[in-house]
Amino acid sequence: MQTSNSKGNAKAERRIRRLSLHLTPAAGVAAEQLEMATCGRGKVSVDTASLSRYMRGKHRDIQEKIFAYFNANPRLQTPVEISKDEHRDLCMKQLIGLVREAGIRPLRYVVDDPSKYFAIVEAAGAVDMSLGIKLGVQYSLWGGSVLNLGTKKHKDKYFDGIDNLDYPGCFAMTELHHGSNVQGLQTAATFDPITDEFIIDTPNDGAIKWWIGNAAVHGKFATVFARLKLPTYDTKGVSDMGVHAFIVPIRDMNTHQPLPGIEIHDCGHKVGLNGVDNGALRFRSVRIPRDNLLNRFGDVSRDGKYTSSLPTVNKRFAATLGELVGGRVALAYSSVSVLKVASTIAIRYSLLRQQFGPPNKPEVSILDYQSQQHKLMPMLASTYAFHFATKNLVEKYSQMKKTHDDELVADVHALSAGLKAYITAYTAKSLSICREACGGHGYAAVNRFGILRNDHDIFQTFEGDNTVLLQQVAADLLKQYKGKFKGGTFAVTWNYLRESMNTYLSQPNPVTARWEGEDHLRDPKFQLDAFRYRTSRLLQSVAVRLRKHSKSLGDFGAWNRCLNHLLTLAESHIESVILAKFIEAMESCPDPSSQAALKLVCDLYALDRIWNDIGTYRNVDYVAPNKAKAIHKLSEYLSFQVRNIARELVDAFDLPDQVTRAPIAMRSEAYSQYTQYVGF
Amino acid sequence: MQTSNSKGNAKAERRIRRLSLHLTPAAGVAAEQLEMATCGRGKVSVDTASLSRYMRGKHRDIQEKIFAYFNANPRLQTPVEISKDEHRDLCMKQLIGLVREAGIRPLRYVVDDPSKYFAIVEAAGAVDMSLGIKLGVQYSLWGGSVLNLGTKKHKDKYFDGIDNLDYPGCFAMTELHHGSNVQGLQTAATFDPITDEFIIDTPNDGAIKWWIGNAAVHGKFATVFARLKLPTYDTKGVSDMGVHAFIVPIRDMNTHQPLPGIEIHDCGHKVGLNGVDNGALRFRSVRIPRDNLLNRFGDVSRDGKYTSSLPTVNKRFAATLGELVGGRVALAYSSVSVLKVASTIAIRYSLLRQQFGPPNKPEVSILDYQSQQHKLMPMLASTYAFHFATKNLVEKYSQMKKTHDDELVADVHALSAGLKAYITAYTAKSLSICREACGGHGYAAVNRFGILRNDHDIFQTFEGDNTVLLQQVAADLLKQYKGKFKGGTFAVTWNYLRESMNTYLSQPNPVTARWEGEDHLRDPKFQLDAFRYRTSRLLQSVAVRLRKHSKSLGDFGAWNRCLNHLLTLAESHIESVILAKFIEAMESCPDPSSQAALKLVCDLYALDRIWNDIGTYRNVDYVAPNKAKAIHKLSEYLSFQVRNIARELVDAFDLPDQVTRAPIAMRSEAYSQYTQYVGF
């Protein structure tokens, strides 16, 4: 037995040796050289101040004004534990303080200077995310709907009251039974030609307006989305003109009591954002003047005739919803802020925290563990990537608000949907990873991960459910794809597909599929090509599948049959847009040391994403096994390299301590700030 | 231009057609046949009662007693919103009610009938997870440490007081600076031979006991882990015998004031589990009798001599910690319960909720969308898989507590570490997916996802950080691997590696790598082989890498260099153990219709996991591109099939409505229960 065992062992060891050669192919050569080369090269040095300057937005001044105001008013700072009712009360006080004491008047910026408006939302959200959202409800949703869907008469009547908070308001779109499917809303607004009024009615329980921010406690008005119904003189008696928006006063200006016919209930405790008072509204024959129709895209005359500059219900609906795209831009942008806070806390703590170590040596920082680098370094890289992508989105959106250029409108629409969906989903996952990466101390409420996660969670759902938004991106890609065959052009953002569609229809090149040198893998061209190849391939294949399935299943059935494929396509496209913007930002960076740091981070973002989807690349032999291995090895190595400048990279986010707040993330004396917090 | 465009189009279309053939290879044939075949086959019918009977544990009676008690005592039910202090108070009342009114006396079961004990923890956790954890602190940690680490004198003195709650206690292991690295604890217990006492001291802030459950408010005693220091008569003056456990009274039995030398602070608000009062403890020369050393594995005589049946510090440490493995079993088991609740709520709501649909047709249930099936059906399959895996773990643990068989001890140790880490991480991710899958209504606190996620979150960290536990699994695998070459045997759970090591050292079979028939892909042998192949391959390759790197980096450095690889290995192993248990349970099911349902679910579990890691399989050509595609297609199709019996599958979990509680998950009138809840 012993002999046969030894023999078996020798044989097994030979096999293992052979296998190891197979698994780490030429392994030896390329990889070892890479290590030697880079070890000699040492750490990239980062000039935090210079990098920070490059990152900083142009509205830092107004943000600092906001921080200074709350810093000077401790009574307005949200404590770690607070009841729902106290939180709502405090949140309203914070908003009033911001507007009336600090003199921040956001409404004008909603249309005139969106990047300034988003900077205000970001800073308010950093004080307390409930405040950021409450501010958004008042100015972007309620105010924005009046400005964007109404006409001069509405602006004249409501602007000041909204801006100075005399008119706190709501945005009453969602119903109990209808969230994503806005065209399915049931609330009715029937024109009464006798009194020249609309009668707002909730026809059934499913049509109760639900989740309406500002409704449970503070709102005096609501923009109510309802089916416009006009009397006809045929047998039907009434004609449904589709969903329109109406200003409905909901509470008495003096007594603050709900007005007759309006029943308001409290939606109650939420997972997060409990500073925002979400309510449910039921309307029973509530009469409002005809003037309260927000009539920019469609109007009703005194005698009940409908007029619109837009020809169809669908086009009017699209125009109406199109004006709401700013909310998505704000969410994508704010989600990146949350990710910055979370990754800063997790990374600073991981540098501070020491646990285990080599025998008889001091314990090592947990960020020195490969597993911790794996959790946090690609996340840090993504945070940088998203920063530049949303910065670009905000710029595009601002330009669109000025020029109303059609192509730009389409581009911003799809891009905001895609970035909102992709980034908020990524941030949500990252918040859980950060908590877990900080172990027990990550579970202390004071260290922030709980509240950040609970508050941010709904970013994935409101202003468009992520799964629905990604389908819009996919639909848009398919529209462009089809348009191309009809001689059309691509919108700006998908421009790259024009080229890649031709390039990538051919089989992958078996030679480049094996290239595994570091220079090649870190070449932006290789990275972009890989991202775009995947998108083009997914686009072409899903178009073929849709055509095939629609014959037997119809369009709806075919779409559903390919739904996972479509979502993957949308994500792939968004990832490649993000990478392209990151590369641009890196290449435009004037300071060489900052540029070197950004290059490192950008490479990690790109290669980590490719490795995460390596199955796709392998399946079509775009990447040979040796190259797959080299990509994996290099991304682990880049994580290690980024770890070496992680402190500087989070410092460059330039978050004041009053924004991070977590004791474990303080730049000095973190542990003792923590023990003092609990009373030692 | 037009002509050249048309030509381009024709060419592009030809390319697309060619491409589509390439992408759906023979696609046609196998896949289409599969669809036709299965469409004809229709829906598997499930006898919920029979399946439920098969799933049900043997201690359902005591669980029903617990549910009935709380049902009859509404004052003891935790409201949706409650402050930390009220919650702690209520939680203690719940525990007292359970023990003194409902007559549940858990302590005896901790050692004598663990499966009954875990059933009690599960039911208490379903009432309020804080209650489950508080019960675990009292009985499993405080009580368990006395029973398992102490001797008869301790049992005689403390058993009744612990059991009837006269002696509420704590388990004071973790310190501010040391969580995972228990051997690094700094609290000292120095023997004073003059007074025959130990002196407990906190030498520095980093050694403050932190996160100690039951300490902030209710505890009267604590099992304190401290370095045992014995006086010596050499120049050192004192000898460090390593970490031992001591019973330390912390509050006066009558006044409930902290005893002299003991400083207690409140760790404050946590992300979740706020019904549990975690505190921080600092000791200043606290004297306890020598008898308070829990002396099962090591003792000190009156004259300060140390005796132990175990030869080394490391062995004594391992024996001490080994007794705490029950906590991991309880967490793995309870985590599955949380997953059952969450998936039940998400799936019932997804059946209820309708949104969008084909033109002029009613809206469809959102569970009919492929994307929603993709989110929830593999999760449902995993819930079943984990159910059987943890059931098996509990049985093994119970047996171990009876037989103390060495092999079984080692097996349970690694298996509990692995299942705890794998399952809690999966559940944590799933809770977020469920919330998001339920959209806005998933964000209402009353619908449970927030509190479930916040409470469960720390399951990933306490009783062993998941990343650390997985390393224990990997270390154990490597130990067995090395042992094999020395003629040793594998422990029960890795038995499969004995065979697979020989089988899988050879190159994958290029013929079977292309097999894509449904019968083959649904053959448990193929599935298990694939899982085990991956584990064997990862094990062999990491062993080679460790050996290589240890030469230049030392053992610690080499381990760290391979850390991601090691974690993947551990997860892969655990996945294959889970699959093996699932297949066993499916094959042993006596009722044919339940068996058919379990087979479907088991296949989905297996193929979904293989597809998720398809890159690995492709990289080594274990699976050819056509087979990869077929696996993907079949797992999407199985998700669809499981969706057809999803209602029955969640009903078979047999969760009473008072456990699910979410209005949106009620079996009838869900929407109206929800509107009533908010006051309509």
Side-chain angles (χ1 to χ4, degrees):
Chain A
M1 261 317 256
Q2 188 55 35
T3 324
S4 115
N5 241 341
S6 311
K7 246 191 221 167
N9 286 357
K11 213 166 148 192
E13 295 216 5
R14 271 199 309 280
R15 277 179 189 139
I16 289 171
R17 226 171 299 130
R18 191 165 7 101
L19 187 71
S20 99
L21 287 172
H22 181 78
L23 282 175
T24 45
V29 190
E32 220 93 76
Q33 281 172 348
L34 157 68
E35 273 186 47
M36 288 202 224
T38 42
C39 285
R41 195 192 286 165
K43 176 175 156 176
V44 172
S45 78
V46 188
D47 175 356
T48 304
S50 147
L51 179 55
S52 193
R53 238 181 347 263
Y54 185 61
M55 306 272 291
R56 187 175 296 178
K58 54 185 173 174
H59 298 294
R60 180 74 181 187
D61 50 345
I62 200 164
Q63 296 193 321
E64 279 173 0
K65 194 173 161 186
I66 293 171
F67 296 145
Y69 171 72
F70 284 99
N71 217 15
N73 288 278
R75 75 187 163 90
L76 291 181
Q77 290 163 17
T78 312
V80 169
E81 188 180 9
I82 184 168
S83 74
K84 167 173 69 57
D85 292 341
E86 286 170 331
H87 197 179
R88 288 166 169 190
D89 187 50
L90 177 63
C91 190
M92 191 66 194
K93 286 189 179 129
Q94 290 170 335
L95 185 58
I96 290 172
L98 191 71
V99 171
R100 297 188 184 162
E101 293 182 18
I104 308 288
R105 298 291 282 265
L107 191 56
R108 72 202 64 187
Y109 307 127
V110 168
V111 176
D112 296 347
D113 191 352
S115 74
K116 192 163 187 171
Y117 175 72
F118 297 136
I120 294 170
V121 172
E122 181 184 37
V127 170
D128 182 339
M129 192 51 81
S130 285
L131 174 62
I133 300 301
K134 185 137 183 134
L135 188 150
V137 170
Q138 173 69 9
Y139 292 99
S140 178
L141 292 179
W142 156 234
S145 61
V146 172
L147 299 187
N148 290 317
L149 304 179
T151 47
K152 185 172 178 301
K153 63 182 176 187
H154 301 111
K155 192 172 163 178
D156 290 347
K157 187 168 174 188
Y158 293 99
F159 190 98
D160 287 343
I162 294 173
D163 200 32
N164 65 22
L165 291 176
D166 281 345
Y167 296 173
C170 316
F171 182 80
M173 180 182 267
T174 298
E175 296 175 357
L176 177 62
H177 281 187
H178 286 97
S180 295
N181 186 6
V182 180
Q183 280 191 290
L185 295 178
Q186 298 295 311
T187 302
T190 310
F191 183 61
D192 178 352
I194 298 169
T195 61
D196 198 23
E197 291 171 319
F198 293 105
I199 309 166
I200 311 289
D201 259 309
T202 302
N204 55 57
D205 278 4
I208 295 170
K209 292 292 179 187
W210 206 272
W211 287 131
I212 309 308
N214 243 350
V217 181
H218 298 118
K220 296 235 195 278
F221 296 88
T223 294
V224 173
F225 288 80
R227 315 196 77 80
L228 170 58
K229 297 193 174 175
L230 295 177
T232 57
Y233 302 94
D234 56 17
T235 45
K236 275 170 73 187
V238 77
S239 165
D240 184 335
M241 306 305 294
V243 174
H244 286 66
F246 304 82
I247 294 177
V248 181
I250 59 168
R251 284 193 177 88
D252 187 279
M253 288 303 288
N254 298 314
T255 67
H256 201 63
Q257 287 307 300
L259 291 168
I262 293 176
E263 185 180 352
I264 306 178
H265 289 279
D266 189 338
C267 287
H269 206 65
K270 303 193 295 287
V271 171
L273 294 180
N274 279 302
V276 182
D277 54 314
N278 293 80
L281 296 168
R282 178 192 267 284
F283 303 98
R284 289 194 175 84
S285 301
V286 175
R287 289 178 167 269
I288 54 168
R290 181 166 55 94
D291 264 350
N292 284 20
L293 168 65
L294 291 167
N295 59 342
R296 176 167 161 207
F297 296 119
D299 205 356
V300 173
S301 64
R302 177 63 192 90
D303 59 349
K305 292 280 178 305
Y306 187 79
T307 51
S308 171
S309 55
L310 297 166
T312 65
V313 170
N314 281 347
K315 279 211 193 304
R316 291 191 290 269
F317 181 73
T320 303
L321 292 198
E323 285 302 327
L324 307 175
V325 86
R328 287 174 198 162
V329 178
L331 286 188
Y333 185 75
S334 296
S335 184
V336 180
S337 302
V338 172
L339 187 55
K340 282 178 188 167
V341 172
S343 58
T344 298
I345 296 171
I347 288 167
R348 289 211 182 121
Y349 175 70
S350 299
L351 287 162
L352 169 76
R353 180 72 169 182
Q354 298 179 327
Q355 204 79 179
F356 298 109
N360 307 315
K361 293 258 177 77
E363 292 184 296
V364 303
S365 288
I366 57 174
L367 198 55
D368 283 323
Y369 289 105
Q370 194 183 50
S371 53
Q372 194 81 348
Q373 290 165 15
H374 181 66
K375 284 175 194 161
L376 299 176
M377 294 303 99
M379 185 193 298
L380 179 57
S382 299
T383 313
Y384 269 84
F386 299 167
H387 170 90
F388 293 113
T390 50
K391 196 168 163 235
N392 174 264
L393 174 64
V394 167
E395 282 160 13
K396 273 195 174 149
Y397 178 80
S398 303
Q399 210 184 329
M400 177 199 96
K401 280 302 219 185
K402 284 204 185 77
T403 65
H404 301 280
D405 173 75
D406 274 353
E407 253 188 55
L408 200 52
V409 169
D411 198 24
V412 168
H413 189 84
L415 196 58
S416 62
L419 286 175
K420 184 272 191 187
Y422 187 85
I423 292 174
T424 59
Y426 188 92
T427 298
K429 283 191 198 81
S430 299
L431 287 164
S432 286
I433 293 169
C434 286
R435 201 299 296 159
E436 193 248 327
C438 293
H441 297 317
Y443 200 59
V446 70
N447 289 325
R448 308 285 312 280
F449 297 120
I451 190 71
L452 288 173
R453 178 170 60 194
N454 288 338
D455 284 350
H456 176 277
D457 193 8
I458 198 65
F459 280 38
Q460 299 177 94
T461 303
F462 61 15
E463 301 281 328
D465 176 272
N466 283 356
T467 304
V468 175
L469 291 182
L470 288 175
Q471 290 180 62
Q472 292 181 11
V473 174
D476 197 62
L477 283 164
L478 281 158
K479 197 174 117 194
Q480 310 254 351
Y481 176 83
K482 283 178 195 152
K484 184 185 176 281
F485 290 108
K486 294 176 189 137
T489 55
F490 281 98
V492 191
T493 312
W494 343 132
N495 235 336
Y496 73 86
L497 287 173
R498 193 181 355 184
E499 186 193 338
S500 54
M501 295 261 289
N502 298 322
T503 314
Y504 303 124
L505 279 165
S506 56
Q507 292 301 309
N509 181 332
V511 175
T512 55
R514 297 194 55 82
W515 286 359
E516 60 173 28
E518 188 183 353
D519 285 348
H520 169 66
L521 298 180
R522 298 185 66 172
D523 181 350
K525 183 168 166 10
F526 156 69
Q527 296 163 2
L528 267 178
D529 277 357
F531 276 54
R532 291 169 171 182
Y533 173 84
R534 184 171 55 135
T535 309
S536 303
R537 188 127 202 167
L538 286 163
L539 177 55
Q540 286 149 356
S541 55
V542 85
V544 171
R545 288 187 62 207
L546 283 170
R547 198 166 47 189
K548 178 187 135 202
H549 287 304
S550 64
K551 283 169 200 154
S552 52
L553 302 172
D555 284 348
F556 183 86
W559 187 266
N560 193 23
R561 178 66 66 93
C562 301
L563 196 44
N564 292 337
H565 192 156
L566 289 159
L567 296 172
T568 308
L569 163 66
E571 285 171 341
S572 170
H573 168 64
I574 292 299
E575 283 184 350
S576 67
V577 171
I578 293 170
L579 177 63
K581 291 298 154 201
F582 198 176
I583 291 171
E584 267 177 45
M586 179 269 291
E587 288 175 345
S588 319
C589 181
D591 169 56
S593 93
S594 299
Q595 189 176 50
L598 290 175
K599 174 78 178 101
L600 196 60
V601 171
C602 186
D603 287 342
L604 177 56
Y605 169 77
L607 294 176
D608 176 68
R609 287 297 193 288
I610 294 175
W611 173 248
N612 284 340
D613 197 20
I614 199 68
T616 298
Y617 290 105
R618 285 288 301 117
N619 275 342
V620 293
D621 280 320
Y622 188 82
V623 161
N626 70 313
K627 186 172 193 161
K629 198 160 184 70
I631 289 169
H632 186 200
K633 194 151 188 160
L634 184 55
S635 53
E636 275 188 349
Y637 185 70
L638 290 171
S639 279
F640 166 73
Q641 288 281 78
V642 171
R643 176 262 171 270
N644 285 331
I645 54 168
R647 187 187 304 277
E648 292 83 352
L649 288 171
V650 298
D651 284 351
F653 291 149
D654 203 11
L655 303 175
D657 281 354
Q658 73 185 103
V659 167
T660 52
R661 296 204 283 281
I664 58 168
M666 291 300 113
R667 267 168 276 207
S668 66
E669 303 286 319
Y671 273 126
S672 70
Q673 296 211 31
Y674 189 32
T675 47
Q676 280 164 36
Y677 173 79
V678 309
F680 283 95
Chain B
M1 257 319 253
Q2 189 53 38
T3 324
S4 116
N5 241 340
S6 312
K7 246 192 221 168
N9 287 356
K11 211 167 149 192
E13 295 216 6
R14 271 201 309 281
R15 277 181 191 139
I16 288 173
R17 225 172 300 130
R18 189 164 10 102
L19 187 69
S20 99
L21 287 172
H22 180 79
L23 281 176
T24 46
V29 188
E32 220 92 78
Q33 281 172 348
L34 159 67
E35 273 185 47
M36 289 203 226
T38 42
C39 284
R41 195 189 290 167
K43 175 176 155 175
V44 173
S45 78
V46 187
D47 176 355
T48 305
S50 146
L51 179 55
S52 194
R53 234 179 354 258
Y54 185 62
M55 307 271 292
R56 186 175 298 178
K58 55 186 171 174
H59 298 295
R60 181 74 180 184
D61 50 344
I62 200 163
Q63 296 192 322
E64 279 173 0
K65 192 172 160 189
I66 293 171
F67 296 145
Y69 171 73
F70 285 99
N71 217 16
N73 288 277
R75 72 184 167 93
L76 290 182
Q77 290 163 18
T78 312
V80 169
E81 188 182 9
I82 184 168
S83 74
K84 167 173 69 56
D85 293 340
E86 286 170 330
H87 196 178
R88 289 167 168 189
D89 187 48
L90 177 63
C91 190
M92 190 67 196
K93 285 188 179 128
Q94 290 170 335
L95 185 58
I96 290 172
L98 192 70
V99 171
R100 298 188 185 162
E101 293 182 18
I104 307 287
R105 298 290 282 266
L107 191 56
R108 73 202 67 186
Y109 307 127
V110 169
V111 176
D112 296 347
D113 191 353
S115 75
K116 191 161 186 174
Y117 175 72
F118 296 136
I120 294 170
V121 172
E122 182 185 38
V127 170
D128 181 338
M129 191 51 80
S130 285
L131 175 61
I133 299 301
K134 186 140 181 129
L135 188 150
V137 170
Q138 173 69 11
Y139 292 99
S140 178
L141 292 179
W142 155 234
S145 61
V146 172
L147 299 187
N148 291 317
L149 303 179
T151 47
K152 185 170 179 300
K153 63 182 176 187
H154 301 110
K155 192 172 163 180
D156 289 347
K157 186 166 173 188
Y158 294 99
F159 190 99
D160 287 343
I162 294 173
D163 200 33
N164 66 22
L165 291 176
D166 280 345
Y167 296 172
C170 317
F171 182 81
M173 180 182 266
T174 298
E175 296 175 359
L176 177 62
H177 282 187
H178 287 98
S180 296
N181 186 5
V182 180
Q183 281 192 289
L185 295 179
Q186 298 294 310
T187 302
T190 310
F191 182 62
D192 178 352
I194 298 168
T195 61
D196 197 23
E197 291 170 319
F198 293 106
I199 308 165
I200 311 288
D201 258 308
T202 302
N204 55 58
D205 279 4
I208 295 171
K209 293 292 177 185
W210 207 273
W211 288 131
I212 310 307
N214 243 348
V217 182
H218 297 119
K220 295 235 195 277
F221 296 87
T223 294
V224 174
F225 287 80
R227 315 195 77 79
L228 170 59
K229 296 193 174 176
L230 294 179
T232 57
Y233 301 95
D234 56 16
T235 45
K236 277 170 74 188
V238 76
S239 166
D240 185 335
M241 307 304 295
V243 173
H244 286 67
F246 303 82
I247 295 178
V248 181
I250 58 168
R251 283 193 177 88
D252 187 279
M253 288 303 291
N254 298 314
T255 67
H256 202 64
Q257 287 308 300
L259 291 168
I262 293 176
E263 186 180 351
I264 306 178
H265 289 280
D266 189 338
C267 287
H269 207 64
K270 303 191 295 286
V271 171
L273 294 181
N274 279 302
V276 182
D277 53 316
N278 292 81
L281 296 169
R282 177 194 267 283
F283 303 99
R284 288 193 176 86
S285 301
V286 175
R287 290 179 167 267
I288 54 168
R290 184 167 54 95
D291 263 350
N292 283 21
L293 168 65
L294 291 168
N295 60 341
R296 177 167 160 207
F297 296 118
D299 204 356
V300 173
S301 64
R302 176 64 191 89
D303 59 347
K305 292 277 177 307
Y306 188 78
T307 52
S308 170
S309 55
L310 298 166
T312 64
V313 170
N314 281 346
K315 280 213 193 304
R316 292 192 289 270
F317 181 73
T320 303
L321 292 199
E323 285 303 325
L324 307 175
V325 86
R328 287 175 196 159
V329 178
L331 287 187
Y333 185 75
S334 297
S335 185
V336 180
S337 302
V338 172
L339 187 55
K340 281 179 190 167
V341 172
S343 57
T344 298
I345 297 171
I347 289 167
R348 289 213 181 120
Y349 176 70
S350 298
L351 287 162
L352 169 76
R353 180 72 169 182
Q354 298 178 328
Q355 205 79 179
F356 298 109
N360 307 316
K361 294 259 175 78
E363 291 184 295
V364 303
S365 288
I366 58 174
L367 198 55
D368 283 323
Y369 289 104
Q370 194 183 50
S371 52
Q372 195 81 348
Q373 291 164 16
H374 181 65
K375 283 174 195 160
L376 298 176
M377 294 302 100
M379 187 193 297
L380 180 56
S382 299
T383 313
Y384 268 83
F386 300 166
H387 170 90
F388 293 114
T390 49
K391 195 167 162 235
N392 175 264
L393 174 64
V394 168
E395 282 160 14
K396 273 194 175 152
Y397 178 79
S398 304
Q399 209 184 330
M400 178 198 96
K401 280 301 218 185
K402 283 204 187 78
T403 64
H404 301 281
D405 173 75
D406 274 354
E407 255 189 53
L408 199 54
V409 168
D411 198 25
V412 167
H413 188 84
L415 196 59
S416 63
L419 286 174
K420 184 273 191 187
Y422 187 85
I423 292 173
T424 59
Y426 188 93
T427 298
K429 284 191 198 81
S430 299
L431 287 165
S432 287
I433 294 169
C434 286
R435 199 302 294 159
E436 194 247 327
C438 293
H441 297 317
Y443 200 58
V446 71
N447 288 325
R448 307 285 314 280
F449 297 121
I451 190 70
L452 288 173
R453 179 170 59 194
N454 288 338
D455 283 350
H456 177 277
D457 192 7
I458 198 65
F459 280 38
Q460 298 176 95
T461 303
F462 62 15
E463 302 280 327
D465 176 272
N466 283 356
T467 304
V468 175
L469 292 182
L470 288 175
Q471 290 180 62
Q472 291 181 11
V473 174
D476 198 60
L477 283 164
L478 280 158
K479 199 174 114 192
Q480 311 254 347
Y481 176 83
K482 283 178 195 153
K484 185 183 175 285
F485 289 109
K486 295 177 189 138
T489 55
F490 280 98
V492 191
T493 312
W494 345 129
N495 235 336
Y496 74 86
L497 287 172
R498 195 179 356 186
E499 185 192 338
S500 53
M501 295 260 289
N502 298 322
T503 315
Y504 303 124
L505 279 164
S506 55
Q507 291 301 309
N509 180 331
V511 176
T512 55
R514 297 193 57 80
W515 286 358
E516 60 174 28
E518 188 184 353
D519 287 345
H520 169 67
L521 298 180
R522 298 185 68 171
D523 181 349
K525 182 166 166 10
F526 157 69
Q527 297 163 359
L528 266 178
D529 277 356
F531 276 54
R532 291 171 170 181
Y533 173 84
R534 184 172 55 135
T535 309
S536 302
R537 188 127 201 166
L538 285 163
L539 177 55
Q540 286 149 355
S541 55
V542 86
V544 171
R545 287 186 64 207
L546 282 170
R547 198 166 44 186
K548 178 187 134 201
H549 287 303
S550 64
K551 284 170 200 154
S552 53
L553 302 171
D555 284 349
F556 183 86
W559 186 266
N560 193 24
R561 178 67 65 92
C562 300
L563 197 45
N564 293 337
H565 191 157
L566 288 159
L567 296 172
T568 309
L569 163 66
E571 286 171 342
S572 170
H573 168 64
I574 292 298
E575 283 183 350
S576 67
V577 171
I578 293 171
L579 177 62
K581 293 297 153 203
F582 199 175
I583 291 172
E584 267 177 43
M586 179 268 291
E587 288 177 345
S588 319
C589 181
D591 170 56
S593 94
S594 299
Q595 191 177 48
L598 290 175
K599 174 78 177 102
L600 195 61
V601 171
C602 185
D603 287 342
L604 176 56
Y605 169 78
L607 294 175
D608 176 68
R609 286 299 192 289
I610 294 174
W611 173 249
N612 283 341
D613 197 22
I614 199 68
T616 298
Y617 290 105
R618 284 287 302 116
N619 275 341
V620 293
D621 280 319
Y622 187 82
V623 160
N626 70 313
K627 185 171 194 161
K629 203 164 181 68
I631 289 169
H632 186 201
K633 196 152 188 158
L634 183 55
S635 53
E636 275 187 350
Y637 185 71
L638 290 171
S639 278
F640 166 73
Q641 287 281 80
V642 171
R643 177 261 172 271
N644 285 332
I645 53 168
R647 188 188 304 275
E648 292 83 351
L649 288 171
V650 298
D651 285 351
F653 292 149
D654 202 12
L655 302 176
D657 281 354
Q658 76 184 101
V659 167
T660 52
R661 297 205 281 283
I664 58 169
M666 291 299 113
R667 267 168 273 210
S668 67
E669 304 285 320
Y671 273 127
S672 71
Q673 296 212 31
Y674 189 31
T675 49
Q676 280 164 34
Y677 173 79
V678 310
F680 283 95

